[in-house]
Amino acid sequence: MDPKTLPFDPEAMLEGLRAWVECESPTFDAPAVNRMMDIASRNLILAGARIERIAGRMGFGDCVRATFPHPTPNLPGILVMGHLDTVHPIGTLDGGLAFRRDGNRAWGPGILDMKGGNYLALEAIRLLFRAGVPTRLPITVLFTSDEEVGSPSTRDLIEAEAARHKYVLVPEPARADGGVVTGRYAIARFNLEATGRPSHAGSRPGDGRSAIREMARKLIEIEDMTTEDCTFSVGVIHGGQWVNCVTTVCTGEALSMAKRQEDLDRAVERMLALRASSNDVQFKVTRGVTRPVWEPDAKCMALYEVAKEIAHDLGYHINPQSSGGGSDGNFTGAMGIPTLDGLGVAGAGAHTLDEHIQIDSLAYRGHLMAGLLARLE
Ligand SMILES: [Zn+2]
């Protein structure tokens, strides 16, 4: 099958994708994520899938698993895996990131990370079925609800589903040079809590011990632990309610990232060993979700080689890259299941108000996805 013959229409795809992008779905808003799952479920069913809805837990939204008809449905097949949550809060559409297009670019919350990629994967499956092109392996699609917070409620589901499959394809955004992802760094998240002593900030400031001040000290200490091998950053701080009170509780979240598992393991030890800077305040670090390092093995690189050949026939080149940002590909790659990530759309500005895609990539990356689905055996 020559994937070039499949009639991907980027304009029609953009219209369909627009409906997905205009359904805002921030991770922390389960009803919003569920509305997005409703839309995706309908599109999956229209494409010929049988879907199962998996109820959310831990306060997160539902997941959707879709299976497509196949003569040998129980054969370990291809899992297409993507998240439908985004980092953009409700109101982003009206607050600086409305859906809009300009030439070959289109903007919107989550359009790049990763609704665009999920949409093109679904379109690839739909067109293969419509053209009557048989895939050698059965295809399952799994859309999840909490990737942007490290997948605390879906990791078990992802790992169980991946274990039943031979390959995992992840349409997260393409690399800046159009490359695909064949490995991802290890990532750990931490919860931070500083506790001080209350006092009236105006009349008796000397009696209090500020939790915010302690957090500020620790923030510098944590970020200064960054080396070539391992990064440390504090991305969330909450503290204080009244300016006339010495604040007694300040919480935060930190992230550490390393190319090698042993460096991340050491980072975890260092973080958990942090202590308060004096006896009259407390500082506590607890471990949050982690993503294991995914280092490509021979089977993963063989999968990349298939993709490279398909891309070559389509007239472009894709480099294999390891990526700093984590994804659910970390889990399946670390399990040793051949995983190819970064198969989604080209664009830039993920997680910002400039998030956009290159519209034509909906088609040429769609061709690549379709080629993989048809050829993998
Ligand atoms: Zn993503």
Side-chain angles (χ1 to χ4, degrees), residues 21-22 86 88 92-93 97-100 106-113 349 352-357:
V21 168
E22 291 189 333
T86 80
H88 299 284
T92 303
L93 281 171
L97 188 54
F99 175 88
R100 71 186 165 94
W107 284 258
I111 194 166
L112 174 64
D113 184 7
T352 76
L353 293 180
D354 189 39
E355 182 165 340
H356 64 271
I357 63 165

Side-chain angles (χ1 to χ4, degrees), residues 71-94:
T72 52
N74 295 323
L75 207 66
I78 305 168
L79 178 63
V80 175
M81 181 173 78
H83 64 89
L84 280 171
D85 60 315
T86 80
V87 298
H88 299 284
I90 297 285
T92 303
L93 281 171
D94 300 323

Side-chain angles (χ1 to χ4, degrees), residues 83 113-114 147-148 172-173 351:
H83 64 89
D113 184 7
M114 58 179 287
E147 194 273 345
E148 295 292 5
E172 287 272 10
H351 295 199

Side-chain angles (χ1 to χ4, degrees), residues 188 190 232 256 263-273 287 290:
F190 304 93
F232 294 84
S256 188
D263 291 324
L264 192 82
D265 293 344
R266 201 166 309 124
V268 171
E269 277 171 34
R270 291 187 71 183
M271 285 295 294
L272 295 179
R287 199 174 162 164
T290 55

Side-chain angles (χ1 to χ4, degrees), residues 132-156:
V133 177
T135 61
R136 293 185 167 97
L137 297 175
I139 299 169
T140 305
V141 173
L142 181 67
F143 286 150
T144 60
S145 57
D146 66 348
E147 194 273 345
E148 295 292 5
V149 296
S151 312
S153 75
T154 55
R155 179 176 180 170
D156 57 349

